[in-house]
Amino acid sequence: NNNTKKLIVAVGSIENNFDYQVFNITGKLIKDGNFSQGVNTIECSNLQTGLYILDVKDNKTTNRAVKKFMKR
């Protein structure tokens, strides 16, 4: 999304929770937490401008999604 203060992530799973990690472009872990079903947000106002990687993992399966996002 274009909002530079929060990253909005929608989770469609009804039963599973997800862990997430945000890494900077050099691979350093910046923040982590978990998502539940529905719309979740990650506070990004304290991130420096740059490219980041969001890694989301399903707690019950081996499913994962990795996405890049830009903090402006």
Side-chain angles (χ1 to χ4, degrees), residues 1 11 15-16 18 22 24 28 43 59 61-62:
N1 62 359
V11 176
E15 2 182 296
N16 298 353
F18 296 82
V22 175
N24 67 13
K28 180 180 177 185
E43 180 62 43
N59 288 341
T61 69
T62 58

Side-chain angles (χ1 to χ4, degrees), residues 28-72:
K28 180 180 177 185
L29 178 65
I30 303 299
K31 52 175 47 198
D32 60 357
N34 55 51
F35 293 141
S36 57
Q37 191 237 354
V39 177
N40 298 269
T41 59
I42 300 174
E43 180 62 43
C44 295
S45 60
N46 60 340
L47 297 180
Q48 295 182 356
T49 299
L51 186 62
Y52 292 88
I53 299 165
L54 172 64
D55 186 359
V56 181
K57 299 175 190 171
D58 187 320
N59 288 341
K60 293 186 179 181
T61 69
T62 58
N63 294 337
R64 74 189 299 176
V66 179
K67 300 289 181 183
K68 295 177 188 173
F69 70 95
M70 177 70 72
K71 167 62 162 92
R72 297 177 195 227

